[in-house]
């Protein structure tokens, strides 16, 4: 797998991300939303193809990402086999391995039910039983939709990521990373 290095530095950029997420709804100190997507392989990989066969009966690799309020990819982990659970990818990610230096003060990351709840990762209530929990889940979802939208924009912009005819996993990983880099460049320059 390959990964980026967490892209929110100290200072002004971090404040912009805080403000961007707080403008979405009622949550403060959010530094990103995390989720994963599958990069589908239309043909079996050259080596160990069986480990890339996912539950949807397709070959794939995982692309786990953290995005800011604008859908800019600030961290990503690419290359884990498709069947690997999001929580395992997360616990082996650069971000998680280095959270002690990346999380500042009351920073929070938002994730779905696949991710473990922690002092810096907020997830949905699995079965909300009171109105306050339901309201929390709705607000959480309003913030987390940025990661789903980012994946959608990425795959629509670079439709090759919807199904690659590539046999070398390293090529798939590199191509996915290049697409993310280009996506970020185009998004930051308001080029649709």
């Amino acid at each position: 797998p390959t990964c980026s290095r967490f892209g929110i530095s100290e200072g002004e950029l971090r404040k912009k991300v805080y403000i961007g997420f707080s403008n979405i709804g009622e949550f403060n100190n959010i530094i990103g939303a995390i989720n994963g997507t599958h990069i589908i392989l239309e043909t079996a990989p050259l080596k160990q193809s069986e480990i890339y066969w996912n539950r949807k009966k397709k070959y794939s690799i995982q692309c786990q990402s953290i995005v800011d309020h604008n859908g800019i990819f600030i961290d990503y982990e690419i290359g884990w086999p498709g069947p690997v659970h999001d929580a395992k990818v997360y616990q082996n990610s650069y971000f998680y391995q280095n959270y002690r230096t990346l999380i500042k003060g009351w920073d929070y990351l938002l994730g779905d039910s696949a991710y473990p709840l922690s002092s810096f990762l907020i997830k949905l209530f699995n079965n909300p039983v009171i109105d306050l929990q339901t309201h929390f889940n709705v607000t959480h979802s309003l913030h987390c939709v940025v990661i789903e939208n980012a994946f959608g924009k990425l795959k629509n912009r670079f439709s090759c990521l919807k199904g690659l005819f590539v046999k070398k996993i390293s090529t798939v990983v590199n191509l996915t990373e290049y697409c993310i880099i280009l996506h970020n460049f185009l998004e930051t320059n308001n080029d649709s």
Side-chain angles (χ1 to χ4, degrees):
T2 189
C3 68
S4 75
R5 299 299 180 245
F6 192 69
I8 296 182
S9 60
E10 299 288 328
E12 290 304 310
L13 178 58
R14 199 175 208 100
K15 287 179 189 171
K16 284 181 184 177
V17 174
Y18 285 159
I19 292 167
F21 274 110
S22 68
N23 286 340
I24 293 172
E26 305 165 23
F27 289 169
N28 294 317
N29 298 347
I30 306 301
I31 57 168
I34 187 171
N35 209 338
T37 191
H38 287 263
I39 306 301
I40 302 299
L41 311 174
E42 297 294 347
T43 56
L46 287 175
K47 297 179 182 174
Q48 298 179 311
S49 61
E50 68 282 353
I51 70 168
Y52 294 94
W53 189 251
N54 69 32
R55 62 184 170 80
K56 294 186 178 180
K57 301 189 182 336
K58 297 207 179 246
Y59 295 106
S60 68
I61 64 165
Q62 291 265 12
C63 174
Q64 179 179 269
S65 302
I66 300 172
V67 300
D68 70 9
H69 62 288
N70 288 322
I72 303 295
F73 290 85
I74 56 176
D75 188 70
Y76 50 86
E77 198 78 27
I78 309 165
W80 284 83
V84 176
H85 194 277
D86 287 349
K88 183 173 182 177
V89 176
Y90 171 68
Q91 290 172 336
N92 287 280
S93 69
Y94 173 84
F95 175 83
Y96 186 79
Q97 298 295 319
N98 294 280
Y99 76 85
R100 286 178 183 85
T101 58
L102 298 173
I103 297 294
K104 308 293 180 193
W106 294 98
D107 287 349
Y108 298 102
L109 198 60
L110 297 173
D112 66 16
S113 61
Y115 296 94
L117 182 66
S118 71
S119 61
F120 57 86
L121 191 141
I122 302 170
K123 62 187 230 174
L124 299 164
F125 284 97
N126 286 336
N127 297 305
V129 292
I130 60 172
D131 289 343
L132 190 58
Q133 291 172 339
T134 302
H135 178 74
F136 176 89
N137 280 3
V138 168
T139 304
H140 186 284
S141 297
L142 288 172
H143 289 78
C144 268
V145 75
V146 296
I147 184 74
E148 300 301 332
N149 290 342
F151 284 138
K153 275 187 168 180
L154 176 71
K155 288 183 176 182
N156 284 328
R157 182 174 270 149
F158 302 102
S159 59
C160 63
L161 296 179
K162 294 178 183 178
L164 288 167
F165 289 92
V166 177
K167 289 194 164 280
K168 272 183 81 177
I169 294 299
S170 62
T171 301
V172 176
V173 169
N174 288 337
L175 182 61
T176 304
E177 183 171 27
Y178 301 153
C179 290
I180 289 172
I181 292 166
L182 286 170
H183 167 86
N184 280 354
F185 175 79
L186 294 169
E187 285 295 306
T188 55
N189 288 288
N190 297 314
D191 188 337
S192 58

